[in-house]
């Protein structure tokens, strides 16, 4: 590109400059590629794919700061843009910020578990941390949670409650004196994030670590405390995480089986199996996924060797085990094997005409499909589950998830209709969290359909719910969407 062209502005199209830059990148001519990407951005400012591509060039050139700026710019409008997440992690890794790189590798892996790049990124970041840190035991990344909540820190920048600061200043022994009930509740609501909370609390005990600062000047102690504060106030579960109603249903099924074996001696196979199932459920609920998976596989092998006479409800028990194995594999990112086990659970439920077990299997199969982006398959499975639904909370969740899938597929009328069904179910049981979720879904669908006034009304309802729930992140996001939608009304 000549100097005259640079002065007069771009003379070609965006796609032409992108293609030229891609060729230069593959040839290893990174400086020239940056020039072409920059020219392309003059034509389409803020194009996220172009920003990611230029960020890659900067990484190759050793200009990590510029690489990070471009990666963050690519995430400006969509924090879940996986290419931007990966590039941000790569830039942080290049800068030597291995802990924060690990955060974003984990977040990307959570969103796109099928991509090898995130798994390799997690591995190399953990190795780098291990090599650079050495002795402090509190920084061994042995927990298996997602850690992706760290991205909230830069977005929120809000003061921590005084009561929480006071809590953190207490002695470790005093802080750990929590009631078993509150701990069980925290584990239930945080799910996979519970081990991350434990990990962060361990980090606070490392005096040398918390004295450090990030590249933006923030104290690591402040970052860690803000993240724990975020977790302590979190009362929602991840969208594709196992819903609380489903956990309650599974435990109810387990309790029913316990009741049938209560009068039998401990030597009875039923008693032994159900005790093992309870232990597996405890491991998985606590986030000890690998331990739970290992035990489930061991028990499965044992049960498969027993006759139907020795274990009359063998099919029901096997279904339980396949379900546990499938959920553990899904948490570990092995989606193909997870599906295989959930389909085995479904097959046994259909053969034995076990309605609750069939509902459970369809539930889990749909979650796996949605997690890997196969929304049409998820819809098909979940719509088969609708006649089996029991209770308002399950209805609100299921209708919402089906609606979200239709929204992803750009079938906005269907998305709106299911959103309305979800909202109706949430209204019936007075569940504010699902009233919020369903209202947002309806508002988004109406916006896509061009029904701006209806969209505004539902965003306003969702905003009120967010304020009642004191969900600041949801409130801020809804306010932004509401402002943009109102502008459409007056155009």
């Amino acid at each position: 590109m000549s100097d005259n062209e640079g002065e007069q502005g771009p003379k070609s199209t965006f796609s032409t400059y992108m293609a030229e830059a891609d060729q230069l990148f593959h040839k290893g001519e990174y400086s020239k590629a940056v020039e072409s990407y920059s020219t392309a951005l003059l034509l389409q400012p803020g194009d996220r794919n172009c920003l990611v591509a230029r960020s890659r060039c900067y990484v190759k050139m050793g200009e990590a700061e510029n690489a990070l700026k471009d990666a963050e710019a690519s995430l400006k409008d969509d924090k879940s843009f996986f290419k931007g997440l990966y590039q941000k992690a790569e830039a942080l890794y290049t800068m030597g910020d291995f802990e924060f790189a690990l955060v974003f590798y984990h977040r990307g892996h959570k969103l796109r578990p099928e991509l090898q790049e995130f798994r390799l990124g997690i591995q190399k970041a953990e190795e780098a941390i291990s090599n650079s840190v050495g002795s402090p035991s509190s920084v061994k990344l042995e927990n298996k949670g997602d850690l992706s909540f760290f991205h909230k820190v830069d977005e929120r920048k809000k003061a921590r409650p005084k009561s929480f600061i006071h809590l953190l200043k207490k002695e470790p022994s005093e802080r750990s004196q929590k009631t078993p009930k509150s701990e069980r509740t925290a584990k239930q609501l945080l799910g996979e994030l519970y081990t991350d909370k434990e990990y962060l609390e361990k980090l606070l005990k490392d005096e040398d670590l918390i004295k450090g600062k990030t590249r933006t000047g923030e104290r690591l102690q402040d970052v860690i405390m803000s993240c724990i504060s975020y977790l302590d106030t979190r009362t929602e579960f991840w969208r594709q995480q196992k819903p609380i109603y489903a956990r309650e249903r599974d435990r109810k099924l387990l309790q029913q089986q316990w009741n049938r074996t209560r009068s039998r001696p401990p030597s009875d196979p039923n008693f032994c199996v159900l005790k093992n199932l309870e232990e597996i459920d405890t491991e998985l609920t606590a986030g000890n996924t690998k331990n739970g998976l290992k035990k489930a596989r061991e028990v499965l092998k044992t049960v498969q060797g027993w006759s139907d006479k020795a274990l009359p409800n063998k099919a029901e028990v096997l279904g339980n085990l396949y379900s546990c194995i499938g959920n553990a594999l899904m948490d570990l990112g092995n989606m193909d094997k997870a599906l295989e086990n959930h389909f085995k659970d479904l097959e046994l439920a259909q053969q034995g005409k076990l309605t609750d077990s069939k509902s459970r299997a369809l539930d889990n199969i749909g979650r796996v499909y949605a997690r890997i982006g196969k929304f049409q398959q998820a819809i098909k499975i979940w719509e088969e589950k609708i006649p089996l639904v029991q209770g308002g909370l399950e209805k609100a969740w299921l209708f919402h998830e089906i609606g979200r899938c239709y929204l992803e597929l750009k079938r906005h009328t269907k998305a709106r209709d299911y959103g309305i069904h979800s909202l109706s179910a949430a209204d019936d049981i007075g569940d504010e969290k699902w009233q919020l979720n369903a209202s947002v879904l309806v508002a988004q669908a109406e916006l896509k359909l061009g029904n701006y006034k209806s969209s505004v009304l539902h965003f306003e309802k969702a905003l009120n719910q967010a304020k009642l729930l004191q969900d600041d992140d949801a409130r801020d996001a809804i306010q932004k969407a509401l402002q943009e939608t109102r502008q459409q009304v007056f155009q």
Side-chain angles (χ1 to χ4, degrees):
M1 182 170 61
S2 68
D3 293 336
N4 290 335
E5 183 180 321
E7 292 173 3
Q8 296 171 4
K11 291 186 177 180
S12 192
T13 64
F14 172 81
S15 58
T16 300
Y17 284 114
M18 279 291 290
E20 177 185 79
D22 289 342
Q23 286 183 347
L24 291 167
F25 177 84
H26 291 302
K27 289 178 182 178
E29 298 180 29
Y30 304 121
S31 296
K32 291 182 179 179
V34 165
E35 290 181 14
S36 293
Y37 284 131
S38 299
T39 306
L41 284 167
L42 292 175
L43 293 167
Q44 289 191 25
D47 182 87
R48 62 185 191 177
N49 289 305
C50 190
L51 286 165
V52 165
R54 190 170 70 174
S55 177
R56 282 203 307 266
C57 290
Y58 282 133
V59 167
K60 293 289 187 180
M61 295 164 65
E63 297 182 23
E65 295 280 359
N66 286 331
L68 182 60
K69 287 179 183 177
D70 275 357
E72 289 179 332
S74 76
L75 293 165
K76 182 180 178 182
D77 296 324
D78 182 5
K79 301 297 180 185
S80 64
F81 178 45
F82 73 94
K83 292 180 181 178
L85 288 173
Y86 178 75
Q87 199 53 40
K88 183 170 183 177
E90 288 283 278
L92 289 165
Y93 183 87
T94 304
M95 295 166 71
D97 285 343
F98 303 127
E99 291 88 352
F100 283 93
L102 180 60
V103 166
F104 288 95
Y105 285 130
H106 265 292
R107 186 173 178 223
H109 179 62
K110 183 73 178 178
L111 291 168
R112 296 294 297 271
E114 75 278 9
L115 296 181
Q116 181 75 4
E117 290 91 334
F118 288 117
R119 289 195 290 271
L120 293 175
I122 290 169
Q123 182 180 340
K124 72 178 182 182
E126 287 181 341
E127 289 174 357
I129 291 168
S130 179
N131 292 334
S132 61
V133 173
S135 59
S137 61
S138 63
V139 233
K140 291 180 181 176
L141 298 176
E142 55 193 18
N143 286 310
K144 301 174 179 62
D146 174 38
L147 302 180
S148 63
F149 50 79
F150 261 89
H151 78 285
K152 295 286 183 181
V153 178
D154 293 330
E155 297 168 8
R156 294 165 75 234
K157 299 287 186 184
K158 65 181 184 182
R160 297 178 302 280
K162 290 183 180 179
S163 60
F164 182 69
I165 294 173
H166 176 70
L167 175 65
L168 288 175
K169 288 180 178 177
K170 295 179 181 178
E171 292 297 316
S173 59
E174 186 180 351
R175 259 201 334 267
S176 63
Q177 291 176 353
K178 302 170 184 175
T179 65
K181 184 177 179 181
S182 67
E183 282 295 278
R184 285 197 300 270
T185 302
K187 286 180 180 179
Q188 184 186 47
L189 291 175
L190 290 176
E192 296 167 2
L193 295 179
Y194 184 79
T195 51
D196 300 326
K197 183 171 180 287
E198 291 181 313
Y199 164 68
L200 289 167
E201 288 172 343
K202 286 175 68 180
L203 286 185
L204 283 175
K205 297 175 186 178
D206 190 323
E207 294 183 3
D208 293 331
L209 177 72
I210 62 176
K211 290 177 183 177
K213 292 185 177 181
T214 68
R215 287 182 178 268
T216 56
E218 285 185 285
R219 292 192 311 160
L220 282 176
Q221 182 178 15
D222 292 340
V223 173
I224 295 166
M225 289 169 71
S226 182
C227 289
I228 297 177
S229 177
Y230 165 66
L231 285 174
D232 276 351
T233 59
R234 183 186 179 97
T235 57
E236 64 180 353
F237 51 80
W238 289 73
R239 178 172 165 257
Q240 294 301 341
Q241 186 185 16
K242 189 175 184 181
I244 290 175
Y245 88 81
R247 299 179 204 168
E248 292 173 347
R249 175 204 58 213
D250 291 350
R251 292 195 183 103
K252 184 183 75 173
L253 289 174
L254 196 60
Q255 187 61 49
Q256 289 172 353
Q257 294 177 54
W258 266 116
N259 292 338
R260 292 198 296 268
T261 60
R262 185 174 291 171
S263 60
R264 300 181 183 181
S267 58
D268 186 278
N270 283 278
F271 189 93
C272 174
V273 167
L274 289 170
K275 186 174 183 298
N276 279 314
L277 282 171
E278 191 174 56
E279 290 173 359
I280 292 165
D281 179 70
T282 300
E283 291 279 12
L284 295 179
T285 302
N288 302 323
T289 309
K290 290 186 177 178
N291 289 343
L293 177 60
K294 181 181 178 183
K295 188 169 187 65
R297 283 172 167 166
E298 290 171 352
V299 176
L300 177 66
K301 189 174 181 181
T302 301
V303 171
Q304 285 174 331
W306 287 346
S307 65
D308 293 339
K309 185 177 180 181
L311 191 65
N313 61 335
K314 181 178 176 179
E316 191 175 357
V317 171
L318 287 173
N320 262 308
L321 289 166
Y322 283 128
S323 178
C324 290
I325 292 170
N327 285 328
L329 288 167
M330 181 164 62
D331 287 343
L332 293 172
N334 192 340
M335 300 302 174
D336 290 339
K337 288 292 184 182
L339 271 178
E340 184 180 314
N341 281 275
H342 287 312
F343 270 113
K344 287 179 180 178
D345 180 23
L346 178 60
E347 184 181 357
L348 288 168
Q350 289 172 331
Q351 289 175 356
K353 297 182 179 179
L354 305 169
T355 304
D356 287 338
S357 298
K358 180 181 178 181
S359 179
R360 173 189 64 207
L362 292 171
D363 192 337
N364 290 325
I365 292 168
R367 288 193 303 114
V368 176
Y369 277 140
R371 186 89 161 259
I372 60 178
K374 293 186 176 181
F375 301 114
Q376 192 59 59
Q377 289 93 321
I379 289 169
K380 183 180 178 182
I381 289 292
W382 275 335
E383 288 185 337
E384 186 180 345
K385 173 185 163 71
I386 291 173
L388 308 176
V389 169
Q390 297 178 6
L393 182 58
E394 187 173 6
K395 282 182 181 178
W397 174 83
L398 181 61
F399 291 147
H400 177 271
E401 296 300 89
I402 295 174
R404 288 296 309 175
C405 288
Y406 275 121
L407 194 67
E408 293 285 349
L409 293 171
K410 295 181 171 46
R411 296 179 63 182
H412 303 126
T413 301
K414 278 282 192 180
R416 178 194 60 194
D417 293 346
Y418 270 106
I420 291 171
H421 289 320
S422 176
L423 183 56
S424 176
D427 286 341
D428 288 343
I429 59 174
D431 190 298
E432 293 173 341
K433 173 57 68 177
W434 282 106
Q435 286 172 335
L436 186 158
N437 292 337
S439 295
V440 169
L441 173 58
V442 176
Q444 289 175 315
E446 292 283 42
L447 178 62
K448 295 293 185 181
L449 290 167
N451 301 327
Y452 301 125
K453 289 184 179 179
S454 176
S455 179
V456 166
L457 288 173
H458 284 92
F459 272 133
E460 287 176 341
K461 181 172 182 177
L463 181 60
N464 290 333
Q465 296 297 341
K467 289 177 180 177
L468 286 172
L469 291 165
Q470 297 183 334
D471 189 333
D472 294 337
D473 294 325
R475 182 200 64 200
D476 293 344
I478 294 166
Q479 280 179 333
K480 181 180 178 182
L482 182 57
Q483 183 180 2
E484 293 173 355
T485 308
R486 280 173 174 160
Q487 291 174 356
Q488 295 287 343
V489 174
F490 295 109
Q491 283 182 358

